[in-house]
Amino acid sequence: MTKATKKPLKLKTLAAIALGVVAFGFNATPNGQFGFAQAQAQSEGVRPEVGKHLKEASALIKAGKHKEALAKVREAEAVGGRNATENYALEGMRVAAASGAGDADSMVKGFEAMKASGKLSGADQLRMMEAIAGTYLRNKDNAKALSWAQRYFKEGGNSPTMKQVLTNAQFLSGDMGSIIKETQEDISADEKAGRTPSQDKLNLLLSAAQKKGDSAAEGFAVERLLNYYPRKELWAQVLGGLQQKKSFSDRFNLDIFRLKLATGNLKDANDYFEMAQLSAQAGYPEEGKAVVEKGMAAGILGQGAEGARHKRLLDLLVKRIADAKATQAETERAANDAKDGNAQVNVGLAYAFRGDAAKGAKIIEAGIAKGNLKRPEDAKLYLGLAQSLAGDQSKATATWRSVKGTDGSAELARLWIIQSRKR
């Protein structure tokens, strides 16, 4: 899945802002350039011995020579006996030059001094914090970027750009818990307001959940990605990822194939052939026959050097179907007489694939009611499948929602709920 973007963010440079807040010491020309006005500077409290360095710093900033401009700021700083006005002008120029130089620590020094003076407006404070956080992020100082982004929002900021800075800093700092919490809240707010959550937001949540190993958040993200942005490729990715989980049981490999078939992700002859074989081995030859016939109809099976082998599998499945029908009544009676419901679950699912899904669902329900099941969560998964094949999607959804297994059954049930909505 897509991770949080690492591209540099287009944050506004603070050169113009800083020069604007020190404009009392500089005479702004109509084209936005600043020329030093000695008489005005003197009258407003900036002496020539300080002002000349700041004038040179301003010119260097305009020329894109930000490190050289910082050196001029330090020359102004070396002048003794500075007054409050000179200090404010100096620190504003420091922020402007440091912003262009990518020197976040110097930006912080200037910002804190300007804020302490009480002259810096709240709006300019937020813009400066925005640039400081973005600069730290570009410098890959993720912890400081995160700290300044959090401070920005704590002090009333609401910029979408800064939200991205915050998220990136959290991701790069490894703070997946915060990303999961905040992104889930954003997604829920979107849904409550009738908005479709963005795909980027959902991908971010999925990536963070996978990194943290938060299966609940991962399921939340997967469900919404498949609901809002369903794609064949996404289904393949989700199903492949599920099989790779350490907790996933191999006994559900046939169920993965079933979902692949339902979502158009059986990719080649090997997939069709293997699914048909697994169906036959599990006691569902009708399902296997249907898979082989679909493969042949699509020109995937029955062709080329392996064509004869595919046809032999189809013949074997036809024979097994005939054998199962011959013993069907006896098999069903034995399942009904058994002390536990395991056999009834198998018989019921076989009926569902045989074309009588309604009867199959009733038999599975009877097996579940009898109890003593080896795998009760699996039984509910297959009851939902039988109910879905019978066309009762509301019952199937309710059944699937009740599946709580930790070895793959619950995830499969959630995926069947999503897939059944798209029919």
Side-chain angles (χ1 to χ4, degrees):
M1 296 292 169
T2 317
K3 294 183 180 180
T5 180
K6 296 182 181 179
K7 293 192 296 185
L9 300 172
K10 295 181 179 178
L11 297 176
K12 186 184 298 182
T13 177
L14 276 183
I17 297 171
L19 291 172
V21 299
V22 299
F24 55 80
F26 292 84
N27 187 25
T29 61
N31 65 3
Q33 295 180 342
F34 289 85
F36 185 68
Q38 182 173 321
Q40 181 181 357
Q42 287 176 333
S43 67
E44 295 183 350
V46 178
R47 293 169 295 158
E49 54 265 42
V50 175
K52 68 177 181 179
H53 298 301
L54 299 185
K55 176 185 176 182
E56 291 170 354
S58 175
L60 288 166
I61 290 171
K62 288 176 174 50
K65 298 178 179 179
H66 299 99
K67 290 183 179 179
E68 292 88 339
L70 274 175
K72 289 297 178 182
V73 171
R74 287 191 288 272
E75 289 179 16
E77 195 174 14
V79 176
R82 295 188 313 277
N83 59 40
T85 299
E86 291 169 340
N87 284 332
Y88 191 73
L90 184 154
E91 298 301 345
M93 199 63 68
R94 189 198 308 277
V95 172
S99 175
D103 185 345
D105 289 341
S106 292
M107 292 172 71
V108 170
K109 180 179 179 180
F111 168 73
E112 297 291 13
M114 294 177 76
K115 184 178 180 184
S117 73
K119 296 178 181 180
L120 190 61
S121 72
D124 281 340
Q125 288 180 36
L126 290 174
R127 284 194 288 270
M128 288 187 179
M129 284 189 279
E130 185 172 355
I132 289 168
T135 302
Y136 274 129
L137 188 65
R138 285 192 292 274
N139 293 347
K140 302 189 187 312
D141 195 336
N142 302 317
K144 287 184 179 179
L146 178 57
S147 176
W148 277 91
Q150 289 170 333
R151 177 175 172 179
Y152 169 87
F153 285 106
K154 185 177 180 180
E155 295 193 19
N158 59 7
S159 163
T161 298
M162 276 300 288
K163 180 64 176 175
Q164 190 177 0
V165 171
L166 176 66
T167 301
N168 285 0
Q170 288 171 331
F171 195 92
L172 295 171
S173 299
D175 187 6
M176 300 304 149
S178 293
I179 290 178
I180 290 169
K181 179 178 180 296
E182 293 168 12
T183 308
Q184 276 191 305
E185 289 173 353
D186 285 349
I187 292 167
S188 296
D190 284 340
E191 292 180 323
K192 188 174 181 180
R195 298 186 299 266
T196 298
S198 73
Q199 191 168 1
D200 285 345
K201 194 180 295 184
L202 291 167
N203 282 332
L204 172 64
L205 175 60
L206 179 59
S207 182
Q210 289 174 335
K211 282 185 173 293
K212 187 174 173 58
D214 187 333
S215 58
E218 182 179 351
F220 181 96
V222 165
E223 179 175 350
R224 282 153 180 80
L225 277 166
L226 292 175
N227 270 330
Y228 296 122
Y229 305 99
R231 293 181 296 112
K232 175 181 174 180
E233 296 77 12
L234 178 60
W235 272 103
Q237 187 174 0
V238 169
L239 292 170
L242 179 56
Q243 274 188 297
Q244 291 170 10
K245 286 186 175 182
K246 290 182 179 179
S247 60
F248 186 81
S249 173
D250 288 345
R251 74 175 183 279
F252 291 123
N253 285 341
L254 176 55
D255 295 279
I256 292 290
F257 274 119
R258 286 168 178 156
L259 276 164
K260 283 184 176 181
L261 178 64
T263 58
N265 278 295
L266 288 185
K267 60 181 182 294
D268 54 28
N270 287 335
D271 277 357
Y272 279 90
F273 195 86
E274 185 177 354
M275 181 180 177
Q277 282 188 314
L278 288 174
S279 296
Q281 291 166 9
Y284 310 120
E286 289 87 357
E287 180 185 35
K289 177 174 177 287
V291 171
V292 173
E293 288 175 341
K294 285 181 180 180
M296 288 182 169
I300 297 172
L301 296 182
Q303 310 292 321
E306 294 291 305
R309 180 170 174 243
H310 302 157
K311 290 175 182 176
R312 286 197 298 273
L313 176 59
L314 180 60
D315 291 341
L316 173 63
L317 291 166
V318 169
K319 182 179 184 304
R320 289 197 177 180
I321 290 170
D323 292 343
K325 283 183 178 179
T327 60
Q328 181 173 304
E330 181 181 344
T331 300
E332 186 175 346
R333 183 166 54 252
N336 292 340
D337 293 341
K339 294 181 179 180
D340 57 58
N342 294 301
Q344 285 175 295
V345 173
N346 295 332
V347 169
L349 192 55
Y351 265 106
F353 289 125
R354 196 171 293 145
D356 196 348
K359 179 175 180 179
K362 289 180 180 178
I363 294 173
I364 296 174
E365 285 178 327
I368 292 173
K370 185 183 290 184
N372 298 318
L373 294 172
K374 185 177 180 180
R375 296 188 176 97
E377 300 306 315
D378 293 23
K380 290 188 287 185
L381 174 66
Y382 298 135
L383 173 59
L385 184 55
Q387 290 168 332
S388 180
L389 290 171
D392 197 338
Q393 295 303 328
S394 61
K395 274 190 177 180
T397 297
T399 299
W400 280 325
R401 288 194 188 283
S402 71
V403 179
K404 306 297 181 185
T406 59
D407 53 1
S409 58
E411 287 94 336
L412 288 165
R414 283 196 295 269
L415 293 175
W416 274 118
I417 291 171
I418 296 165
Q419 195 280 329
S420 66
R421 292 174 185 158
K422 306 302 178 185
R423 291 179 182 175

